[in-house]
């Protein structure tokens, strides 16, 4: 049963978050197999160094949903990078954890918990997808701080959103101190204009796609570059996306990746380019 949304904040600012009580609310928990493939491809690609360098390869899949399929997939994918990886799926709804327990194996466990991350040690990676979008925008900063405070040195918190089958995906990456970047990944042929991905922006940005906000400027710039690249459509959407990304880079947008990522339908920009006004 989904709880009525409650305000969520770091323990020091909320008396509701008593020791021993999971921090957060029960969410809808809808998920599908292979839904997280795009973000997992980024984790095992540009971010794989974090897992390889970690003294303790502990990873958390936070709020994996009604079924543990995506947590199992994360474990199997990360094991190709670090065979001794330990993935812990965390859910606030005990019944979901009880079901997932049957799939435990060496390196893969499931626990009841919330944003406090009730795991021994500090994780090098925390992935929370389609979780924060079910909270209030005002809660995001407190939730970010709470999870960031649990990261290991060099750790990364990935807060993202995707559609039901993972064709449109966005995520914010944060280290222990600050947000670092916004990434977007799309399946070619699933959109007419790149800005259609705005409906899947993370909670911190989804209500900011309005004139005067940086994320709106980026969406508009992507659309312009996409339309200007129309002559390349005969060579396929991959070439057209590549041209769009190159145009953004040439125009001064802080694009953090290169052609090897663009060809996957992916684009990452520095957080400073899209941060909400006043933030």
């Amino acid at each position: 049963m989904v709880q009525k949304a409650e305000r969520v904040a770091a323990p020091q600012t909320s008396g509701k978050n008593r020791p021993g009580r999971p921090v957060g609310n029960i969410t809808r928990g809808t998920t599908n197999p292979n839904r997280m493939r795009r973000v997992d491809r980024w984790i095992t690609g540009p971010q794989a160094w974090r897992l390889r360098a970690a003294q303790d390869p502990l990873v958390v899949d936070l709020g994996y949903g009604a079924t543990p399929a995506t947590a199992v997939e994360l474990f199997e994918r990360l094991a190709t990078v670090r065979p001794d990886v330990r993935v812990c799926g965390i859910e606030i709804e005990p019944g979901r954890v009880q079901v997932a327990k049957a799939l435990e194996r060496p390196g893969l466990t499931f626990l009841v918990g919330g944003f406090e991350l009730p795991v021994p040690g500090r994780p090098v990676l925390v992935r929370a997808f389609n979780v924060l979008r079910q909270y209030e925008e005002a809660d995001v900063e407190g939730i970010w701080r709470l999870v960031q405070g649990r990261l290991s040195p060099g750790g990364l918190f990935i807060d993202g959103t995707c559609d039901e089958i993972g064709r449109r995906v966005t995520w914010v990456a944060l280290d222990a101190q600050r947000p670092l970047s916004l990434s977007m990944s799309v399946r070619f042929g699933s959109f007419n204009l790149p800005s259609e991905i705005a409906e899947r922006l993370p909670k911190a940005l989804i209500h900011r796609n309005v004139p005067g906000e940086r994320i709106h400027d980026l969406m508009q710039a992507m659309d312009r570059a996409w339309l200007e690249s129309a002559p390349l459509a005969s060579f396929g959407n991959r070439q057209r996306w590549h041209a769009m990304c190159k145009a953004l880079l040439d125009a001064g947008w802080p694009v953090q990746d290169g052609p090897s990522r663009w060809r996957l339908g992916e684009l990452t920009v520095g957080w400073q380019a899209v941060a909400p006004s006043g933030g």
Side-chain angles (χ1 to χ4, degrees), residues 12-67:
Q12 64 268 28
T13 62
S14 175
K16 292 183 180 180
N17 299 332
R18 302 185 301 271
R21 177 186 178 185
V23 179
N25 305 308
I26 298 174
T27 57
R28 290 187 296 273
T30 54
T31 190
N32 280 302
N34 212 29
R35 190 181 185 188
M36 309 301 175
R37 62 191 179 278
R38 292 183 177 275
V39 65
D40 289 353
R41 184 169 59 189
W42 183 77
I43 293 171
T44 57
Q47 302 303 315
W49 68 270
R50 298 179 188 273
L51 192 59
R52 294 191 182 103
Q55 184 174 3
D56 180 9
L58 172 63
V59 176
V60 169
D61 187 18
L62 179 59
Y64 56 82
T67 65

Side-chain angles (χ1 to χ4, degrees), residues 185-212:
S185 183
V186 294
R187 179 182 177 183
F188 295 126
S190 69
F191 63 91
N192 292 314
L193 289 173
S195 63
E196 292 171 21
I197 202 170
E199 67 181 19
R200 297 295 171 175
L201 285 170
K203 190 68 177 188
L205 295 174
I206 194 167
H207 302 299
R208 302 292 185 139
N209 186 28
V210 294

Side-chain angles (χ1 to χ4, degrees), residues 19 45 51 57-58 60 79 87 107 114 119 144 150 179 189 201-203 206 227 235 242 248 253 256 266 278:
L51 192 59
L58 172 63
V60 169
V87 173
V119 292
W144 279 1
R150 293 285 285 116
L201 285 170
K203 190 68 177 188
I206 194 167
L227 293 171
F235 298 102
H242 182 286
L248 292 172
W253 287 93
Q256 294 188 353
E266 192 177 291

Side-chain angles (χ1 to χ4, degrees), residues 18-190:
R18 302 185 301 271
R21 177 186 178 185
V23 179
N25 305 308
I26 298 174
T27 57
R28 290 187 296 273
T30 54
T31 190
N32 280 302
N34 212 29
R35 190 181 185 188
M36 309 301 175
R37 62 191 179 278
R38 292 183 177 275
V39 65
D40 289 353
R41 184 169 59 189
W42 183 77
I43 293 171
T44 57
Q47 302 303 315
W49 68 270
R50 298 179 188 273
L51 192 59
R52 294 191 182 103
Q55 184 174 3
D56 180 9
L58 172 63
V59 176
V60 169
D61 187 18
L62 179 59
Y64 56 82
T67 65
T70 56
V72 174
E73 291 169 351
L74 180 64
F75 170 66
E76 293 174 346
R77 289 163 179 163
L78 295 188
T80 65
V81 174
R82 182 81 185 250
D84 60 340
V85 67
R86 295 186 297 119
V87 173
C88 181
I90 293 180
E91 252 296 335
I92 202 167
E93 206 287 301
R96 296 172 184 172
V97 177
Q98 185 177 3
V99 170
K101 284 286 187 180
L103 295 176
E104 287 189 336
R105 66 191 79 166
L108 178 63
T109 57
F110 296 92
L111 289 175
V112 175
F115 297 112
E116 78 286 358
L117 307 185
V119 292
R122 293 182 174 273
V124 64
L125 292 169
V126 178
R127 186 188 71 178
F129 251 70
N130 304 303
V131 177
L132 273 74
R133 71 172 292 142
Q134 300 181 57
Y135 289 81
E136 297 295 327
E137 182 182 354
D139 291 339
V140 170
E141 185 177 354
I143 292 171
W144 279 1
R145 289 200 309 269
L146 184 56
V147 177
Q148 287 173 283
R150 293 285 285 116
L151 293 174
S152 68
L156 200 68
F157 174 34
I158 304 164
D159 165 25
T161 304
C162 65
D163 66 4
E164 289 73 15
I165 56 176
R167 293 181 300 179
R168 300 179 182 181
V169 188
T170 71
W171 61 91
V172 178
L174 310 94
D175 64 13
Q177 286 77 41
R178 61 194 180 281
L180 302 176
S181 61
L182 170 71
S183 295
M184 295 166 279
S185 183
V186 294
R187 179 182 177 183
F188 295 126
S190 69

Side-chain angles (χ1 to χ4, degrees), residues 205-220 277:
L205 295 174
I206 194 167
H207 302 299
R208 302 292 185 139
N209 186 28
V210 294
E213 292 283 350
R214 299 181 185 97
I215 186 62
H216 182 265
D217 294 341
L218 176 60
M219 294 292 110
Q220 296 299 301
S277 60

